[in-house]
């Protein structure tokens, strides 16, 4: 009897050892994959977005390797060329925009402003004494210049990550069925439950990337176009900033164009200020209300506050990849909670032993 107990204890110790070794191995694998998280994330996102078109290419070529190569090549050109253009313009105009802001603030005469707008005299004096606009904008200008320098320094890393993204995308497209079978084999959920969670993840990626990012890009482009037409400085830079702000829920392009309209009105350019206000309030904001429901519809299925936490928290936690990973993590978690609720509300029926 003692021997059986000792044998059982040894089996438990070995099982605990295997569990501990597995946990350590998973943690090491996590550390190994962490530097490649951006490439893995964007490769997976592109694979989900490109899958419908890739299936058509695969049906015509009837060759998985060739179809994946064609899809990856087209995606690399379609994504790479705009990114290169935007990066070049951003680096070029970041310093110009910072210098322009500093010159505006240092050339601003608060005494003349007070004489022209006596009702706002108290506000102008408070801003001058408490906030130090010139010093704040000078610090902001220095930060912008530093960011552009950091962008140049990190260009090699970005190129490597870009190439790695499309390298991984090739295998995600070619071996997608094998990967799905592997995920299903590891999933503790039933087959239909696993399919439901994966579908929610894909829907969230579609809604976030195609809906939010595309609409934000259109808003930024329209805002930058108006800045250029009105003769405002660094329109490409401010258009990019408006597009980035439009991605974040609650915020939007108005954070940039409203102060610009106020500045134009204070300069006496009432017609230009009115045009910018109408363009921003009707066209830029209206694009969001028009395109977003068409592209996203009910796919995201997240409240505005939850989407805000997912997007902003994801960016803080994972960087740019968090824009997708944050909302996707919340959507997957909500799906798992739904599955758990269904299981608790519908427990499996136990068979009743017949009466002897």
């Amino acid at each position: 009897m003692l021997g059986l107990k000792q044998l059982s204890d040894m089996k438990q110790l070995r099982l605990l050892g295997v569990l501990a070794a597995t946990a350590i191995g998973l943690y090491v694998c996590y550390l190994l994959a962490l530097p490649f998280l951006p490439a893995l994330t964007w490769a997976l996102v592109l694979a989900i977005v490109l899958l419908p078109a890739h299936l058509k290419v695969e049906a015509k070529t009837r060759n998985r390797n060739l179809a994946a190569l064609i899809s990856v090549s087209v995606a690399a050109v379609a994504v790479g060329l705009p990114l290169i253009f935007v990066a070049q313009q951003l680096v070029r105009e970041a310093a110009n925009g910072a210098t322009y802001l500093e010159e505006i603030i240092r050339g601003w005469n608060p005494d003349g402003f007070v004489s022209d707008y006596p009702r706002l005299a108290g506000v102008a004096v408070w801003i001058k004494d408490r906030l130090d606009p010139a010093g704040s904008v000078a610090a902001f200008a220095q930060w912008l210049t530093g960011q552009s320098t950091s962008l140049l320094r990190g260009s090699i890393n970005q190129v490597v990550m870009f190439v790695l993204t499309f390298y991984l995308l090739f295998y995600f497209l070619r071996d997608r069925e094998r990967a799905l079978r592997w995920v299903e084999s590891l999933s503790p959920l039933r087959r239909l439950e696993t399919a439901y969670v994966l579908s929610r993840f894909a829907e969230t990626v579609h809604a976030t990337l195609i809906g939010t990012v595309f609409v934000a890009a259109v808003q930024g482009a329209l805002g930058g176009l108006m800045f250029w037409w009105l003769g405002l400085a660094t329109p490409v830079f401010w258009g990019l900033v408006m597009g980035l702000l439009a991605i974040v829920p609650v915020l939007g392009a108005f954070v940039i164009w409203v102060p610009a309209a106020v500045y134009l009105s204070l300069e006496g350019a009432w017609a230009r200020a009115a045009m910018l206000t109408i363009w921003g309030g009707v066209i830029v904001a209206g694009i969001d209300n028009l395109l977003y429901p068409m592209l996203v519809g009910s796919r995201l299925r997240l409240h505005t506050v939850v989407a805000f936490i997912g997007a902003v928290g994801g960016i803080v936690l994972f960087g740019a990849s968090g824009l997708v990973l944050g909302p996707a993590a919340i959507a997957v978690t909500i799906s798992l909670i739904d599955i758990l609720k269904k299981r608790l509300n519908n427990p499996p029926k136990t068979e009743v032993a017949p009466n002897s």
Side-chain angles (χ1 to χ4, degrees), residues 350-356:
T350 57
E351 295 182 1
V352 179
N355 295 328
S356 54

Side-chain angles (χ1 to χ4, degrees), residues 74-90 162 240:
V74 173
V77 173
V79 175
L81 292 180
L83 283 180
I84 293 173
F85 172 77
V86 170
Q88 288 178 345
Q89 294 298 321
L90 176 61
F162 180 84
L240 180 62

Side-chain angles (χ1 to χ4, degrees), residues 24-340:
I24 294 173
L26 289 174
Y27 180 69
V28 172
C29 291
Y30 164 76
L31 295 178
L32 292 173
L34 191 59
F36 305 100
L37 181 62
L40 287 167
T41 301
W42 295 114
L44 180 60
V45 167
L46 288 173
I48 293 173
V49 173
L50 295 175
L51 184 59
H54 173 72
L55 291 176
K56 296 180 181 179
V57 174
E58 195 174 74
K60 291 183 178 181
T61 59
R62 297 183 180 180
N63 187 307
R64 288 181 176 270
N65 290 301
L66 180 59
L69 181 61
I70 293 174
S71 297
V72 169
S73 300
V74 173
V77 173
V79 175
L81 292 180
L83 283 180
I84 293 173
F85 172 77
V86 170
Q88 288 178 345
Q89 294 298 321
L90 176 61
V91 173
R92 182 182 304 169
E93 298 200 19
N96 295 336
T99 304
Y100 178 75
L101 281 175
E102 187 175 0
E103 290 176 354
I104 289 177
I105 295 297
R106 294 198 180 279
W108 181 54
N109 183 11
D111 297 330
F113 177 81
V114 169
S115 61
D116 294 337
Y117 303 94
R119 295 183 179 180
L120 300 177
V123 177
V125 172
W126 185 88
I127 292 175
K128 178 183 177 182
D129 295 339
R130 301 290 181 86
L131 300 183
D132 185 20
S136 301
V137 173
F140 180 65
Q142 185 178 3
W143 178 82
L144 281 178
T145 305
Q147 289 298 109
S148 62
T149 304
S150 300
L151 182 62
L152 286 175
R153 291 175 181 173
S155 58
I156 296 178
N157 293 333
Q158 298 301 324
V159 169
V160 172
M161 201 61 64
F162 180 84
V163 173
L164 184 59
T165 297
F166 288 94
Y167 172 79
L168 294 172
L169 175 61
F170 175 85
Y171 292 101
F172 283 169
L173 291 175
R174 192 192 70 174
D175 303 328
R176 63 187 183 280
E177 294 179 357
R178 185 187 304 176
L180 288 174
R181 288 196 299 267
W182 180 71
V183 170
E184 290 178 354
S185 67
L186 294 179
S187 174
L189 303 175
R190 303 186 184 104
R191 183 183 294 269
L192 291 178
E193 292 172 342
T194 302
Y196 170 67
V197 172
L198 292 176
S199 66
R200 285 293 294 122
F201 178 83
E203 288 175 354
T204 305
V205 169
H206 271 283
T208 302
L209 190 68
I210 297 181
T212 306
V213 176
F214 180 78
V215 172
V218 173
Q219 288 182 301
L222 291 174
L225 181 63
M226 179 53 66
F227 270 51
W228 170 78
W229 194 64
L230 294 177
L232 295 172
T234 61
V236 175
F237 173 74
W238 291 117
L240 180 62
V241 173
M242 282 187 278
L244 293 175
L245 289 174
I247 293 175
V248 182
V250 180
L251 298 180
F254 71 90
V255 175
I256 300 299
W257 66 259
V258 167
V262 173
Y263 165 75
L264 290 174
S265 63
L266 294 178
E267 289 289 311
W270 295 103
R272 296 164 66 196
M275 291 176 61
L276 181 57
T277 301
I278 295 173
W279 183 266
V282 177
I283 303 300
V284 177
I287 285 295
D288 187 15
N289 297 326
L290 176 65
L291 290 182
Y292 192 81
M294 293 172 56
L295 296 174
V296 177
S298 60
R299 282 184 170 184
L300 192 56
R301 286 187 279 175
L302 293 178
H303 190 271
T304 303
V305 175
V306 178
F308 173 81
I309 294 174
V312 177
I315 292 174
V316 172
L317 189 60
F318 300 110
S321 305
L323 177 66
V324 174
L325 292 179
I330 292 179
V332 169
T333 303
I334 293 175
S335 301
L336 293 174
I337 293 174
D338 291 339
I339 292 172
L340 183 60

